[in-house]
Amino acid sequence: MTIKITVKGKVQGVFFRDTSKEVADNMNIRGTVENLKNGDVEILAQGKKKALKEFLKWCDEGPEDAEVSEVTWEVIPNSNFLKNFIIKRW
């Protein structure tokens, strides 16, 4: 299963991407995470439903200094686009 997650709030400059990679790696989730120019963080995550559900719970909190105001997600057509979880940088 693959989902696209958008995280809003104070989520840039608080190690959200680095921490999400650590969490995803521990949950055997593949995908990408990147900062968007509008201040949000976007994640494409692929894995088992149970792992993705737990990952979404983590996204609601984020790392210690984050202030998450909203998390939205949608299922996207499944594809094996990556073998691991990477941080995209501008």
Side-chain angles (χ1 to χ4, degrees):
M1 175 177 206
T2 305
I3 60 175
K4 177 180 169 184
I5 306 164
T6 303
V7 186
K8 298 179 178 292
K10 181 184 168 193
V11 293
Q12 292 190 16
V14 294
F15 297 99
F16 201 101
R17 291 178 301 169
D18 292 334
T19 309
S20 66
K21 178 178 172 22
E22 288 177 26
V23 172
D25 287 345
N26 288 335
M27 294 182 175
N28 200 26
I29 292 173
R30 301 175 306 277
T32 62
V33 60
E34 67 180 306
N35 286 340
L36 300 180
K37 292 182 181 184
N38 67 359
D40 297 346
V41 169
E42 182 177 274
I43 302 168
L44 290 178
Q46 184 175 61
K48 295 185 178 181
K49 284 184 183 182
K50 184 177 179 182
L52 292 172
K53 191 174 185 179
E54 288 300 314
F55 188 68
L56 280 167
K57 284 183 189 177
W58 177 83
C59 287
D60 281 332
E61 297 295 322
E64 184 178 338
D65 291 333
E67 295 175 13
V68 177
S69 62
E70 182 181 7
V71 175
T72 58
W73 63 276
E74 62 181 297
V75 175
I76 61 171
N78 202 7
S79 62
N80 290 322
F81 53 87
L82 290 171
K83 297 186 187 294
N84 55 19
F85 196 90
I86 62 168
I87 298 171
K88 289 178 142 183
R89 303 192 191 275
W90 299 339

